[in-house]
């Protein structure tokens, strides 16, 4: 009887072992984790369709010339509010001296004040020479002056600078008395102090420095002033 009972027990244990083993294998097959799906962050993204902002290249300087780099200054716009100042009135071409029609700076005695303004613009300054009989208004152009009488006519023209050509065939202040004779011919008056050329009612007078024999002043005026 005992052997039969042992066999039954052994068979029961074998069946139980097989059942446990099958259960373990079944659980093992279900224990493997399923593959995790890719999230949006794990998936590759397409390249951005927005074009990159263009970057301007720096200005390219010219190649060095003899070791010196050439640069080009940028042009700056002129403010629209600034206005260019008008330039000084250009001086007219002065005619050569004519003894039959004596002139200085292209002006002659008895020309009107307006003639001087038309030729040279408004003077730099004006002042009045006191004269009880006929006050003279002096138009000062710095390099020369023009005297205007009460009638508005030119009474005299006086040269004040060596830097201008008064229209005496190239003769200027500071030159020698002999240069005046070469340029204008023989004078009507010739002393160590004065050289003068008279014509009808006008006189061209050159004051001379007796020590240097240089011309100190040049003036064209009414002959009445000479007396």
């Amino acid at each position: 009887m005992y052997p039969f009972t042992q066999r039954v027990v052994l068979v029961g244990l074998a069946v139980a072992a097989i059942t446990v083993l099958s259960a373990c294998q079944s659980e093992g097959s279900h224990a493997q984790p399923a593959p995790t799906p890719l999230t949006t962050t794990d998936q590759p993204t397409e390249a951005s369709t927005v074009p990159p902002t263009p970057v301007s290249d720096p200005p390219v300087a010219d190649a060095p010339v003899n070791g010196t780099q050439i640069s080009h200054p940028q042009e700056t716009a002129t403010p629209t509010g600034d206005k260019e100042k008008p330039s000084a009135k250009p001086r007219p071409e002065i005619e050569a001296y004519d003894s039959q029609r004596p002139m200085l700076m292209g002006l002659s005695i008895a020309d009107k004040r307006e003639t001087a303004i038309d030729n040279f613009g408004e003077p730099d300054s004006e002042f009045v020479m006191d004269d009880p009989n006929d006050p003279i208004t002096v138009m000062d152009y710095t390099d020369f002056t023009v005297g205007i009488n009460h009638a508005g006519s030119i009474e005299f023209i006086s040269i004040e600078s060596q830097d201008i050509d008064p229209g005496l065939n190239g003769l200027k202040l500071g030159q020698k008395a002999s240069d005046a004779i070469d340029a204008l011919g023989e004078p009507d008056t010739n002393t160590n102090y004065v050289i003068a050329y008279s014509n009808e009612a006008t006189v061209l007078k050159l004051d001379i420095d007796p020590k240097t024999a240089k011309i100190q002043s040049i003036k064209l005026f009414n002959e009445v002033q000479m007396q």
Side-chain angles (χ1 to χ4, degrees):
M1 179 174 180
Y2 288 106
F4 176 77
T5 304
Q6 290 178 348
R7 178 180 292 182
V8 171
V9 171
L10 291 174
V11 172
L13 291 174
V15 172
I18 293 172
T19 302
V20 172
L21 180 60
S22 298
C24 290
Q25 290 178 351
S26 176
E27 288 177 0
S29 61
H30 292 287
Q32 294 180 358
T36 304
L38 293 176
T39 62
T40 55
T41 56
D42 296 330
Q43 295 177 355
T45 58
E46 296 181 357
S48 175
T49 58
V50 179
T53 304
V55 179
S56 59
D57 295 333
V60 179
D62 291 344
V65 178
N66 296 330
T68 302
Q69 189 72 28
I70 301 175
S71 61
H72 298 282
Q74 296 181 349
E75 297 182 358
T76 55
T78 302
T80 55
D82 296 340
K83 294 183 178 180
E84 184 178 354
K85 295 182 179 180
S87 58
K89 185 179 180 66
R91 293 181 177 179
E93 183 177 352
I94 305 300
E95 298 179 12
Y97 183 78
D98 183 356
S99 61
Q100 300 300 316
R101 187 170 175 263
M103 304 175 73
L104 272 183
M105 299 301 299
L107 301 173
S108 62
I109 300 303
D111 279 348
K112 292 298 183 179
R113 171 191 174 94
E114 289 73 21
T115 303
I117 295 176
D118 288 343
N119 288 352
F120 304 103
E122 292 291 340
D124 298 327
S125 63
E126 289 189 12
F127 61 92
V128 177
M129 296 174 57
D130 292 334
D131 187 330
N133 297 323
D134 188 4
I136 302 297
T137 299
V138 179
M139 304 171 67
D140 188 351
Y141 287 95
T142 304
D143 292 332
F144 65 98
T145 57
V146 179
I148 307 295
N149 59 26
H150 71 283
S153 299
I154 294 178
E155 193 76 11
F156 70 82
I157 305 107
S158 179
I159 305 303
E160 309 293 340
S161 172
Q162 300 180 14
D163 297 331
I164 60 171
D165 181 2
L168 296 176
N169 300 334
L171 185 67
K172 298 181 180 181
L173 282 178
Q175 292 186 254
K176 295 286 188 177
S178 58
D179 295 330
I181 295 175
D182 291 340
L184 303 175
E186 289 296 328
D188 297 298
T189 302
N190 187 359
T191 70
N192 291 335
Y193 299 93
V194 174
I195 291 178
Y197 296 85
S198 300
N199 186 307
E200 297 180 358
T202 63
V203 176
L204 175 64
K205 180 184 177 185
L206 314 179
D207 289 327
I208 308 298
D209 183 340
K211 294 182 179 181
T212 63
K214 290 184 176 181
I215 302 171
Q216 291 183 309
S217 70
I218 301 176
K219 190 174 183 179
L220 180 67
F221 54 88
N222 193 311
E223 190 176 15
V224 175
Q225 293 179 310
M226 189 73 173
Q227 299 176 354

